[in-house]
């Protein structure tokens, strides 16, 4: 039984096959490859993109999707997460897609070996489908330049608390990208990567900036009182970019004019909505890979 807890669950060959499928699905709507399959989603944290993207992906391939809203589930009556999961598995789904605030929850449920578990975001540990759609978007952008190996990306923002950053760093590094971390000290994780607090230092060196929001829900107490002041140093603006051909990415949700300015979100250099579009095709290909083992 194959699970997706982080991107290292997939070999390079798996990722190449998934991306080939995603490209095919993007070029031409596929047949209903998963028409007999049923997935359950279990989101213990809020989501706009990931949950709806998985549902669209599953439905585009003909699968049925059942959502369990944890705030209205029997976990509220004291049922353990393991028992909730075991009861859902007793209904014989073909996979469970889970988001949770704890880093280890998806892997603990996967160890029960009852159904394929797909991590839709766990604590600050991993968000593998986001990292894969980010890599797909980068590969698409750099397709005419031989791919992403050797390309330079700056990851900017609350890196220490971001599961997207954690998964992106592992995956993009593995694919040969050169990563610089840009963050104020409270947002900087322990790292052996190049790092700086000053975004100006990377502007003439990178081809891509991945901006991240402050993960306020993971801050035990407020880190900055004034995000306008934070934005003065880290917001991606027209003034900051000038005429540089740096592509801008963000996993969402974007804190407008704190992470990225309104003007840059509308700028042709923004790949933010391309990431969302590609997310559906990449998740379609991931579901095909996990559920059909192809
Ligand atoms: N990128 C991402 O995980 O967005 P959501 O929180 O809206 O799913």
């Amino acid at each position: 039984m194959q699970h997706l807890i982080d991107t290292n669950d997939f070999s390079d060959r798996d990722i190449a096959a998934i991306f080939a499928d995603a490209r095919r699905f993007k070029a031409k709507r596929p047949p209903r490859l998963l028409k007999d399959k049923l997935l359950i989603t279990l989101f213990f944290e809020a989501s706009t993109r990931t949950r709806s993207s998985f549902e669209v992906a599953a439905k585009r391939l003909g699968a049925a999707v059942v959502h369990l809203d944890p705030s209205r589930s029997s976990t509220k009556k004291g049922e353990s997460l393991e028992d909730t999961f075991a009861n859902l598995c007793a209904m014989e789904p073909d996979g469970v897609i889970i988001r949770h605030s704890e880093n280890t929850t998806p892997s603990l449920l996967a160890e029960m070996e009852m159904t394929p578990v797909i991590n839709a975001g766990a604590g600050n540990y991993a968000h593998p489908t986001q990292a894969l759609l980010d890599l797909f978007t980068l590969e698409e952008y750099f397709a005419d330049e031989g791919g992403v190996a050797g390309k330079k990306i700056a990851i900017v923002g609350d890196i220490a608390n971001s599961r997207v950053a954690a998964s992106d760093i592992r995956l993009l590094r593995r694919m040969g990208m050169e990563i610089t971390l840009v963050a104020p000290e409270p947002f900087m994780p322990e790292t052996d990567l190049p790092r700086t607090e000053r975004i100006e230092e990377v502007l003439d060196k990178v081809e891509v900036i991945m901006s991240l929001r402050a993960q306020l829900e993971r801050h035990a107490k407020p880190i900055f009182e004034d995000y306008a002041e934070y934005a003065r140093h880290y917001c991606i603006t027209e003034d900051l970019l000038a005429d540089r051909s740096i592509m801008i990415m963000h996993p969402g949700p974007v804190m407008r004019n704190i992470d990225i300015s309104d003007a840059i979100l509308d700028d042709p250099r923004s790949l933010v909505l391309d990431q969302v579009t590609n997310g559906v095709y990449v998740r379609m290909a991931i579901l095909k890979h996990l559920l059909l083992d192809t």
Side-chain angles (χ1 to χ4, degrees), residues 43 46-51 99 120 127 130 163-164 251-253:
F43 277 63
S47 171
T48 294
R49 279 145 292 272
T50 311
R51 187 183 133 169
R99 169 170 289 189
H127 193 344
Q130 181 69 45
R163 54 192 170 217
V164 175

Side-chain angles (χ1 to χ4, degrees), residues 74-294:
S74 290
T75 54
K76 289 287 169 199
K77 301 176 192 164
E79 186 174 60
S80 73
L81 179 59
E82 288 83 354
D83 282 341
T84 298
F85 178 72
N87 277 269
L88 293 175
C89 291
M91 300 176 202
E92 302 180 341
D94 297 288
V96 168
I97 299 166
I98 182 160
R99 169 170 289 189
H100 202 276
S101 58
E102 292 293 327
N103 289 2
T104 54
T105 295
S107 52
L108 291 176
L109 300 182
E111 281 166 17
M112 292 167 72
E113 289 294 335
M114 297 185 79
T115 196
V117 172
I118 303 171
N119 176 8
N124 68 355
Y125 165 62
H127 193 344
T129 60
Q130 181 69 45
L132 287 160
L133 76 88
D134 289 342
L135 175 62
F136 182 86
T137 304
L138 287 160
E139 285 202 353
E140 190 172 63
Y141 180 71
F142 290 118
D144 295 336
E145 298 176 34
V148 301
K151 298 296 181 194
K152 298 179 178 63
I153 184 168
I155 300 180
V156 179
D158 186 2
I159 304 165
N161 295 294
S162 169
R163 54 192 170 217
V164 175
S167 281
D168 271 344
I169 288 169
R170 289 190 283 271
L171 183 64
L172 302 183
R173 219 176 179 185
R174 171 177 160 194
M175 297 299 161
M177 288 193 79
E178 295 179 25
I179 304 171
T180 302
L181 305 186
V182 181
E185 189 273 329
F187 286 174
M188 185 68 79
E190 282 191 21
T191 184
D192 59 354
L193 289 167
R195 48 179 279 180
T196 175
E197 290 195 38
R198 286 176 41 78
I199 194 166
E200 292 78 6
E201 287 180 11
V202 301
L203 290 175
D204 291 319
K205 299 178 186 160
V206 299
E207 284 116 339
V208 183
I209 290 176
M210 170 81 69
S211 171
L212 302 169
R213 81 184 162 93
Q215 305 280 312
L216 302 178
E217 69 275 27
R218 270 183 262 292
H219 299 169
K221 55 183 177 24
I223 293 182
F224 294 106
E225 278 176 24
D226 181 2
Y227 274 89
E229 175 61 14
Y230 167 86
R232 226 166 51 73
H233 298 284
Y234 296 100
C235 186
I236 313 301
T237 62
E238 282 177 300
D239 280 352
L240 190 80
L241 287 189
D243 59 359
R244 296 179 180 89
S245 58
I246 299 175
M247 302 311 289
I248 305 301
M249 300 175 72
H250 194 299
V254 177
M255 290 165 76
R256 280 180 174 262
N257 301 309
I258 294 176
D259 306 337
I260 304 176
S261 71
D262 290 338
I264 291 296
L265 283 166
D266 289 338
D267 190 282
R269 290 170 288 187
S270 169
L271 293 173
V272 174
L273 292 181
D274 300 81
Q275 290 170 264
V276 178
T277 301
N278 286 336
V280 172
Y281 298 113
V282 171
R283 291 189 174 103
M284 287 166 76
I286 290 169
L287 292 176
K288 171 181 175 270
H289 179 80
L290 292 174
L291 273 53
L292 298 184
D293 199 16
T294 56

